[in-house]
Amino acid sequence: YESALEVYTQQAFPSGWASTQNNLGNTYLYRITGEKADNLETAIACFQCALKVRTQQAFPTDWAMTQYNLGNAYSNRIRGEKADNLETAIACFQCALEVRTQQAFPSDWASTQNNLGLAYSDRIRGEKADNLETAIACFQCALEVRTQQAFPSGWASTQNNLGAAYSDRITGEKADNLETAIACFQSALEVYTQQAFPYNWAMTQNNLGAAYSNRITGEKADNLETAIACYQSALEVYTQQAFPTAWAMTQNNLGAAYSDRITGEKADNLETAIACFQSALEVCTQQAFPTDWAMTQNNLGAAYSDRITGEKADNLETAIACFQSALEVCTQQAFPTDWAMTQNNLGAAYSDRITGEKADNLETAIACFQSALEVRTQQAFPYDWATTQHNLGIAYSDRIRGEKADNLETAINCYQCALEVRTQQAFPADWATTQHNLGITYRNRIRGEKEQNLETAIACFQSAIETVEYLRDEIISGSGIEEYKTKLAEQWNRLYLGIVEVCLELEDYTQALEYLERSKNRNLIELILIREFAQLFPSEVVNQLRELQIEIASNQKLLQTGTADNPTNLAQHLKELRQQRNSLQDKHLAIGSRFKFEQFQATLEENTAIVEFYIGRSRFFTFIFTRHSQQPLVLSSSSDDLDELIDWTNAYLKDYYQQPQDWSNQLSSRLQKLAEILNLKEILQELPKDCNQLILIPHQYLHLFPLHALPLPENPGKCLLDKYSQGVRYAPSCQLLQLVQNRQRPDFTHLFAIQNPTRDLKYTDMEVEIIQSYFDSAKILPQTEATKSAIDNTNLKDSHCAHFSCHGLFDFQNPRQSALILAGSETAATKDSQLVTLRDGTNYNLENCLSLNAVLELDLENCRLVTLSACETGLVDLRSTSDEYIGLPSGFLVAGSTSVVASLWKVNDLTTALLMIKFYQNLQQHLPVALALNQAQTWLRDVTKQKLVEWMSNLPLRRETKQELKNTWNWYKPQTKLYNKPEYWAAFCAIGQ
């Protein structure tokens, strides 16, 4: 073209010169080599040259074509004010449409409508909502001509653009707009295949990922996984070498998806997000792509704001620096919406800032939010306005300067404003978040009647909980994504904590206990309900519930996949179906979100007391009740007590894992201290005098400690076990106890046992050989026969007792990989996703062990007792803030057993064998499981060497084994209590019925 212009001068060949200028401009418009900004400036100059000759009067069609091209160049222009460039582009396209009419030039008219729609999509001036409506109208006009049959690639391009406009649309329901956007992108992909149109396919995958990232319908975790997959697909084409800017844009979007990701570890996801943003910044420099650079800086700041790894104070300083960098480009004049978004994010970072004076930081945060609201008006940007109002409410709630009462009133007003947009129907998760914060603010409110404020706080929490439990219901049971329910429970546990504490403040102890229970063990309860549906409900009710559940699942799938004809009506119908199901279920078994204290209380035996602990934000509470209590009695600790409990726990665990000898030597004194911290003396004083059976329900890390071994305050040498003639047992929650008590397991004649699979437990063979003699029939898998495949091929449905005498492993990092070690599982491998390692350094292949996941698949429908005669089998997930009670005992309770006996630490082989033999002897006397275990424990604690030798002499043992044991004890005096230390006798606890 440049060579042609040496001949085609404007004077000699004006028409040819203009045509060549136009073509040269188009080439610069799409040029890849060189600086993009320079190329676009050259393109604009070329088109403007062409228009000196190509006037509307003389060459109308050519004039319109060049106006169209000039509009494209201004749409993409980097230099100058973006707002001005887009206005010029719109004017150019509108000029082109004066000639390019639908009747005269249908194809050109459609192309111009399409590009005019793009310009309106990006337009800065005017109302954003109006601009997007205009853009959508333009794209829909283009599709009148650009049909899939006549212009497949043009149709796909406009479908993609229409999807992008619906993704950002403000008018209408956000959820519906995003479903329309997804449908448009999926339509575009019918033509834009990776093989035929790799670049366009990648672009549409990127846009589809953005829509799924923001999607409201369906499960959030699934949507984000789909978004990540879309971005990763786009990156197959968008490489850094071939398409650097598109690669950088997609890295930015991928980072945003990882920032919000639910699946996987949050800390890891944020590190991945940060890496993505930093990759994007390799291309998106401030000089070359200032707007993209600013947007990525904003996103990087958001990731650092939430970052878990590293020092929180440092992360927030980095976040603030990123937001301030973004504001160098995103000025209020040039990019008002981006400026407002960044001001909002900067305000949030200052709200959380650790460095500097807290009072100053909050004032800066408030100023940022108020700045953002200059652009984020309710009319123009309702959702963003509501988000900033919510954040402003948080800042005023925490504000130090000014009158506290005034600040709280302002916070309440901000939250109420946010709820005008953040409705339960349109944005359920946001609605719940704002209701939660509003509840906290009413709880702290100074003005008004205190009791009325607390009642309002409860109403806010209840509304949020109802919404969260609705979101939980949206996750289809049995879909393989139950872990999302656990994460949802952990995310929202603060809601239940808030309402429990307000109920306690109002002295409504029954409601406090009900909400406490509703926060616990939800996944386990649901798993049991699914497995034992037919046993828990009358047959006619079972049929009705099954029909309702089938209809709920099918309708839910329609909503989640976006295939419902009328999503609004279907959502309402689903709500009605769930209400029917819940009402029907409640008549027979009120658990889960409908747990009722009175119904559970009626299931308790006479003379039985429940002691349930609950760890709050600043205190812990002890709930005490019996079958006849009007409401639970609640004892409250001080904040110092909670601090002391946390310090005690940290010291206990540190010594257990790092200084086991110190842990052992100090266990007795530590339990004495724990009894004082938990205020055991006052608890015992509040228990009825005729109480002969105690059920302990720990909370969070209290599950790790032998509460049954707490020493009695005024009876030296005795502990809780000694006080209750019918025993002390444990339950994860009232609800799980209620479920297992419904199981009728009268028979106890058939034993299944695993015996010393690794052949390194000296007394395990003795233990199992004696125990099996107490049963009419026994299926024993000894030593090398005790493999995973052997268990898989054994019908456990007929077993009344399952006894596992082996090594155990609890994995604190991944509790579902906790396992019982079986034969053939030891491996020399050091790197494998299925590898587990005992603390002695031995590696085992998890696939050949009985992991928690495998336990959940067992069928123990006739099992009365599972005994886990191994190390650390009673430990549970410490990281689960929702108290999901994830550990081997929960697996066996779900599998069908009514009781589980498990250990809380690394137990001694010999003392475990002695304890287990005595335990099963007691069971032969028809004692309940807990009482049989308790009596075995006090026996082992108190038995003298002389009595132990006599007892051992009556066991059916080989002569050499008896002699070996005598030699072991030979060094001690006859009256010595060999195993008096709690480490020997207190490790095991009875959980369940």
Side-chain angles (χ1 to χ4, degrees):
Y1 293 129
E2 288 171 343
S3 294
L5 287 171
E6 294 175 12
V7 175
Y8 281 164
T9 64
Q10 184 176 2
Q11 293 73 25
F13 301 97
S15 179
W17 175 80
S19 176
T20 307
Q21 287 286 1
N22 179 77
N23 293 344
L24 182 59
N26 259 332
T27 307
Y28 270 105
L29 181 60
Y30 298 109
R31 192 186 189 200
I32 296 169
T33 308
E35 285 294 322
K36 184 71 173 175
D38 292 340
N39 291 334
L40 287 168
E41 293 306 303
T42 304
I44 288 169
C46 290
F47 295 136
Q48 288 171 335
C49 283
L51 288 172
K52 293 177 183 177
V53 173
R54 288 183 159 184
T55 63
Q56 186 173 7
Q57 294 71 27
F59 301 97
T61 55
D62 293 335
W63 173 81
M65 177 174 58
T66 305
Q67 287 285 1
Y68 170 80
N69 293 341
L70 185 59
N72 289 336
Y74 269 105
S75 289
N76 294 300
R77 194 185 188 201
I78 295 168
R79 292 185 185 148
E81 287 294 323
K82 185 70 175 175
D84 293 339
N85 292 335
L86 287 168
E87 294 305 305
T88 303
I90 289 169
C92 291
F93 293 134
Q94 288 171 334
C95 284
L97 287 171
E98 294 175 17
V99 174
R100 289 182 155 188
T101 63
Q102 186 173 6
Q103 293 71 28
F105 302 97
S107 177
D108 294 335
W109 174 82
S111 296
T112 309
Q113 287 285 2
N114 178 78
N115 290 8
L116 180 60
L118 285 172
Y120 269 106
S121 292
D122 296 333
R123 193 185 188 204
I124 295 168
R125 292 186 186 147
E127 289 295 323
K128 186 68 176 176
D130 294 340
N131 290 335
L132 286 168
E133 292 308 300
T134 303
I136 288 168
C138 290
F139 295 136
Q140 289 170 334
C141 284
L143 289 172
E144 294 175 17
V145 173
R146 287 183 157 186
T147 63
Q148 186 172 6
Q149 293 70 29
F151 301 96
S153 61
W155 173 82
S157 173
T158 305
Q159 286 286 1
N160 175 72
N161 297 340
L162 183 60
Y166 269 104
S167 290
D168 296 332
R169 194 186 188 203
I170 296 167
T171 306
E173 287 295 321
K174 185 70 174 174
D176 294 341
N177 290 335
L178 287 167
E179 293 309 299
T180 303
I182 288 168
C184 290
F185 295 136
Q186 288 170 335
S187 293
L189 289 171
E190 295 173 18
V191 173
Y192 282 163
T193 64
Q194 186 172 6
Q195 293 72 28
F197 299 93
Y199 182 85
N200 299 117
W201 173 82
M203 174 181 63
T204 308
Q205 287 285 0
N206 180 72
N207 291 346
L208 184 60
Y212 269 105
S213 289
N214 297 317
R215 193 186 188 206
I216 296 166
T217 305
E219 176 51 39
K220 184 68 176 173
D222 283 347
N223 291 336
L224 287 167
E225 293 307 297
T226 302
I228 288 169
C230 290
Y231 295 137
Q232 289 171 333
S233 292
L235 289 170
E236 295 173 19
V237 173
Y238 284 166
T239 63
Q240 187 172 5
Q241 293 71 28
F243 302 101
T245 55
W247 173 83
M249 173 185 67
T250 308
Q251 287 286 357
N252 177 72
N253 292 348
L254 183 60
Y258 269 105
S259 291
D260 296 333
R261 193 185 189 206
I262 296 167
T263 305
E265 289 296 322
K266 185 68 176 173
D268 294 339
N269 290 335
L270 287 168
E271 293 307 300
T272 302
I274 288 168
C276 290
F277 296 136
Q278 289 171 333
S279 293
L281 289 170
E282 294 173 17
V283 173
C284 290
T285 63
Q286 186 172 6
Q287 293 71 29
F289 301 97
T291 55
D292 294 330
W293 173 83
M295 186 56 61
T296 307
Q297 286 286 359
N298 176 76
N299 291 347
L300 182 60
Y304 268 106
S305 291
D306 297 332
R307 193 185 189 204
I308 296 166
T309 307
E311 289 294 322
K312 185 67 176 175
D314 294 340
N315 290 335
L316 286 168
E317 293 307 299
T318 303
I320 288 168
C322 291
F323 296 136
Q324 289 171 333
S325 293
L327 289 171
E328 294 174 17
V329 173
C330 292
T331 63
Q332 186 172 6
Q333 294 70 31
F335 301 97
T337 56
D338 294 333
W339 174 81
M341 176 182 64
T342 308
Q343 287 286 0
N344 176 77
N345 293 347
L346 183 60
Y350 269 106
S351 287
D352 297 332
R353 194 185 189 203
I354 297 166
T355 306
E357 288 294 322
K358 185 67 177 175
D360 292 341
N361 291 335
L362 287 168
E363 294 307 302
T364 303
I366 288 168
C368 290
F369 294 135
Q370 290 171 334
S371 292
L373 290 171
E374 294 174 18
V375 173
R376 289 183 156 188
T377 64
Q378 187 172 6
Q379 294 69 31
F381 302 98
Y383 180 78
D384 296 330
W385 172 81
T387 300
T388 304
Q389 288 285 1
H390 173 87
N391 292 346
L392 187 58
I394 294 173
Y396 269 106
S397 292
D398 297 335
R399 194 184 188 203
I400 296 167
R401 292 187 185 145
E403 288 294 322
K404 187 66 178 175
D406 293 340
N407 291 335
L408 290 172
E409 294 306 303
T410 302
I412 288 169
N413 182 63
C414 290
Y415 292 135
Q416 288 171 335
C417 285
L419 289 170
E420 294 175 19
V421 174
R422 289 181 153 193
T423 63
Q424 191 172 15
Q425 293 72 29
F427 303 101
D430 295 327
W431 156 271
T433 301
T434 304
Q435 286 285 3
H436 170 255
N437 289 356
L438 185 59
I440 291 173
T441 310
Y442 267 107
R443 182 186 178 187
N444 297 327
R445 193 184 188 203
I446 296 168
R447 293 184 186 149
E449 290 293 325
K450 181 67 175 174
E451 187 170 341
Q452 182 59 50
N453 288 334
L454 291 174
E455 293 290 349
T456 304
I458 285 179
C460 292
F461 290 135
Q462 285 173 330
S463 178
I465 287 171
E466 177 189 335
T467 305
V468 169
E469 291 178 348
Y470 159 78
L471 291 173
R472 192 181 189 284
D473 256 353
E474 287 291 291
I475 303 173
I476 302 172
S477 298
S479 59
I481 58 170
E482 275 80 3
E483 66 173 291
Y484 300 160
K485 293 190 177 185
T486 300
K487 295 199 174 192
L488 192 70
E490 291 175 357
Q491 177 188 350
W492 291 103
N493 191 55
R494 64 187 189 276
L495 262 178
Y496 295 94
L497 183 59
I499 199 167
V500 167
E501 291 181 345
V502 175
C503 288
L504 290 172
E505 209 168 334
L506 283 170
E507 298 184 358
D508 188 347
Y509 300 136
T510 297
Q511 189 169 214
L513 180 69
E514 288 175 350
Y515 276 106
L516 180 163
E517 280 287 324
R518 282 169 68 167
S519 70
K520 287 182 164 190
N521 314 143
R522 294 293 296 279
N523 275 0
L524 300 179
I525 291 162
E526 194 166 280
L527 284 171
I528 292 172
L529 276 176
I530 292 168
R531 291 179 65 137
E532 302 184 16
F533 206 59
Q535 290 76 43
L536 291 169
F537 300 98
S539 57
E540 66 276 8
V541 176
V542 168
N543 292 333
Q544 293 177 61
L545 287 171
R546 277 183 178 149
E547 289 172 7
L548 284 167
Q549 196 55 45
I550 290 169
E551 190 175 357
I552 287 168
S554 62
N555 288 333
Q556 193 168 281
K557 190 173 182 181
L558 288 175
L559 271 184
Q560 290 179 327
T561 56
T563 54
D565 292 335
N566 191 325
T568 304
N569 288 350
L570 186 58
Q572 179 59 34
H573 182 54
L574 256 177
K575 185 177 180 181
E576 292 166 1
L577 288 173
R578 289 191 180 109
Q579 287 171 344
Q580 282 181 252
R581 178 200 60 192
N582 295 345
S583 297
L584 185 59
Q585 184 175 300
D586 287 354
K587 289 181 182 177
H588 301 275
L589 187 63
I591 57 173
S593 62
R594 296 160 297 280
F595 173 77
K596 294 297 179 188
F597 169 69
E598 288 183 3
Q599 290 187 29
F600 169 73
Q601 190 183 21
T603 68
L604 292 177
E605 298 173 0
E606 291 288 342
N607 305 323
T608 297
I610 297 271
V611 175
E612 181 163 6
F613 297 95
Y614 187 69
I615 298 171
R617 273 180 280 248
S618 58
R619 295 176 291 166
F620 62 83
F621 304 93
T622 308
F623 290 75
I624 302 170
F625 62 92
T626 68
R627 181 184 178 91
H628 302 292
S629 302
Q630 291 297 310
Q631 68 170 345
L633 172 74
V634 179
L635 304 178
S636 173
S637 77
S638 67
S639 58
D640 289 342
D641 290 334
L642 179 57
D643 291 339
E644 200 169 5
L645 177 60
I646 292 169
D647 290 342
W648 184 96
T649 299
N650 290 335
Y652 174 99
L653 293 175
K654 181 181 178 183
D655 275 358
Y656 178 68
Y657 287 108
Q658 297 179 13
Q659 305 286 342
Q661 191 58 50
D662 288 348
W663 171 85
S664 173
N665 293 337
Q666 296 183 56
L667 185 56
S668 294
S669 60
R670 277 205 167 110
L671 291 176
Q672 180 74 48
K673 183 62 178 176
L674 181 60
E676 294 171 11
I677 294 170
L678 295 178
N679 205 351
L680 182 62
K681 183 177 181 180
E682 186 177 357
I683 292 172
L684 295 177
Q685 288 172 349
E686 296 297 344
L687 290 170
K689 301 302 180 187
D690 60 354
C691 173
N692 60 21
Q693 182 176 198
L694 193 61
I695 301 173
L696 299 172
I697 302 180
H699 187 225
Q700 293 182 5
Y701 43 82
L702 289 177
H703 283 291
L704 304 181
F705 312 130
L707 304 181
H708 58 279
L710 292 177
L712 296 176
E714 297 174 354
N715 200 341
K718 298 296 182 180
C719 67
L720 215 50
L721 291 183
D722 298 289
K723 189 171 178 63
Y724 298 99
S725 61
Q726 293 304 303
V728 178
R729 56 191 164 106
Y730 293 81
S733 67
C734 293
Q735 297 177 87
L736 269 179
L737 182 62
Q738 187 175 352
L739 282 172
V740 298
Q741 285 180 167
N742 278 329
R743 296 170 177 166
Q744 300 303 311
R745 307 280 194 269
D747 300 321
F748 199 64
T749 57
H750 299 324
L751 172 71
F752 168 80
I754 292 296
Q755 177 183 330
N756 195 14
T758 51
R759 296 185 295 174
D760 60 348
L761 295 169
K762 190 173 181 181
Y763 294 102
T764 290
D765 292 320
M766 174 187 81
E767 172 188 321
V768 175
E769 286 166 8
I770 293 177
I771 288 171
Q772 71 173 307
S773 68
Y774 300 140
F775 290 83
D776 295 345
S777 68
K779 170 67 175 176
I780 310 297
L781 295 178
Q783 298 188 353
T784 56
E785 295 178 31
T787 63
K788 177 65 165 57
S789 60
I791 293 177
D792 292 340
N793 292 323
T794 300
N795 183 8
L796 296 177
K797 289 177 67 173
D798 298 329
S799 299
H800 304 144
C801 176
H803 185 92
F804 295 87
S805 196
C806 55
H807 284 297
L809 167 74
F810 184 77
D811 189 336
F812 276 106
Q813 297 304 312
N814 189 349
R816 287 184 175 273
Q817 289 196 163
S818 300
L820 299 171
I821 307 300
L822 301 177
S825 58
E826 187 171 350
T827 176
T830 57
K831 290 184 178 179
D832 191 321
S833 61
Q834 291 296 312
L835 189 72
V836 292
T837 305
L838 287 183
R839 266 186 284 151
D840 64 4
T842 309
N843 295 326
Y844 294 92
N845 186 333
L846 191 64
E847 289 184 349
N848 296 330
C849 299
L850 190 63
S851 67
L852 174 54
N853 281 329
V855 169
L856 291 167
E857 299 300 318
L858 298 178
D859 185 352
L860 301 173
E861 68 174 35
N862 291 302
C863 188
R864 180 177 149 198
L865 169 66
V866 169
T867 303
L868 304 178
S869 180
C871 298
E872 300 181 342
T873 51
L875 301 184
V876 295
D877 188 3
L878 267 181
R879 302 172 305 165
S880 177
T881 57
S882 65
D883 193 33
E884 278 290 359
Y885 194 69
I886 300 171
L888 289 168
S890 66
F892 284 103
L893 290 174
V894 170
S897 180
T898 61
S899 297
V900 177
V901 169
S903 65
L904 297 174
W905 52 76
K906 191 176 176 66
V907 290
N908 176 276
D909 183 19
L910 173 57
T911 54
T912 297
L914 299 174
L915 178 69
M916 288 298 154
I917 293 167
K918 185 65 175 176
F919 169 48
Y920 279 90
Q921 286 181 341
N922 292 343
L923 287 173
Q924 301 312 301
Q925 306 304 312
H926 305 293
L927 296 180
V929 169
L931 184 57
L933 178 64
N934 293 169
Q935 289 188 1
Q937 289 174 311
T938 55
W939 168 81
L940 185 62
R941 179 193 67 190
D942 298 334
V943 70
T944 62
K945 170 199 166 180
Q946 180 180 339
K947 293 292 184 181
L948 190 58
V949 171
E950 291 173 8
W951 175 80
M952 180 269 296
S953 301
N954 293 320
L955 294 176
L957 291 173
R958 298 185 184 92
R959 181 182 301 171
E960 56 271 23
T961 303
K962 290 184 178 182
Q963 188 57 50
E964 184 179 342
L965 288 172
K966 286 180 180 179
N967 293 340
T968 299
W969 300 326
N970 197 40
W971 304 97
Y972 300 97
K973 294 178 181 179
Q975 298 308 309
T976 301
K977 295 180 180 180
L978 302 179
Y979 303 117
N980 190 246
K981 292 170 66 175
E983 83 169 276
Y984 294 122
W985 59 266
F988 287 90
C989 49
I991 305 155
Q993 198 180 87

